[in-house]
Amino acid sequence: MKKFLSLFLCLTCVLTLVACGKKVAPITLPQTDEITSIDITFGENTVSYSDKTWISEIIADISSSEPTKKESVQDYPQVESYIKIDFQFETGTSTIFAYEDSGKYYIEQPYQGIYKIDSQLFERFIRN
């Protein structure tokens, strides 16, 4: 009986810790109609896109990114090479970053979160 009670208590503790874990929110993106253009910078090259169809496709692709448990705690990703993606609005700019790390691809929204993307979206940013 003591073994059963001990096992039950251990299982209850583990389930409590898992249930109380931090929930990861999906990426927060602007509405397509609010964006006047998207500027993509990779290295020294910057390309600006203002085509609403292209912008809509990119927003849809980024929206399908999967949240990770990694936290974004700085203004820029902590990797050697990244792609800077600036959403331009009438009144300002919002920036996210795309990068590869250990064979996986990510979008980082500073101070909001890090999200996993597929290699095809990453390649699309490079081919800008």
Side-chain angles (χ1 to χ4, degrees):
M1 185 68 177
K2 284 186 178 184
K3 287 182 183 180
F4 177 73
L5 185 57
S6 296
L7 181 63
F8 177 75
L9 288 175
C10 286
L11 186 59
T12 302
C13 289
V14 169
L15 289 175
T16 302
L17 289 174
V18 170
C20 294
K22 184 177 179 182
K23 302 290 186 221
V24 181
I27 193 166
T28 305
L29 296 171
Q31 297 294 321
T32 303
D33 57 348
E34 297 174 350
I35 301 171
T36 56
S37 68
I38 296 178
D39 298 340
I40 298 178
T41 305
F42 185 55
E44 298 293 320
N45 301 324
T46 301
V47 179
S48 183
Y49 295 93
S50 57
D51 177 60
K52 290 294 184 183
T53 303
W54 190 89
I55 291 172
S56 179
E57 290 172 2
I58 288 297
I59 292 294
D61 289 345
I62 295 172
S63 294
S64 67
S65 61
E66 299 175 26
T68 68
K69 294 193 185 246
K70 298 179 181 183
E71 293 184 7
S72 176
V73 294
Q74 296 190 359
D75 292 335
Y76 295 91
Q78 296 301 297
V79 294
E80 286 185 32
S81 177
Y82 55 80
I83 301 166
K84 183 178 177 190
I85 303 158
D86 291 316
F87 299 107
Q88 302 293 338
F89 309 103
E90 297 274 336
T91 58
T93 303
S94 177
T95 302
I96 62 174
F97 301 92
Y99 59 89
E100 182 267 333
D101 186 29
S102 301
K104 296 181 182 176
Y105 301 92
Y106 299 97
I107 291 278
E108 183 165 340
Q109 193 170 34
Y111 303 102
Q112 299 297 314
I114 299 174
Y115 308 86
K116 189 174 180 185
I117 60 172
D118 62 27
S119 61
Q120 293 156 337
L121 178 56
F122 184 80
E123 291 297 325
R124 191 169 181 189
F125 291 136
I126 289 178
R127 285 185 268 126
N128 64 28

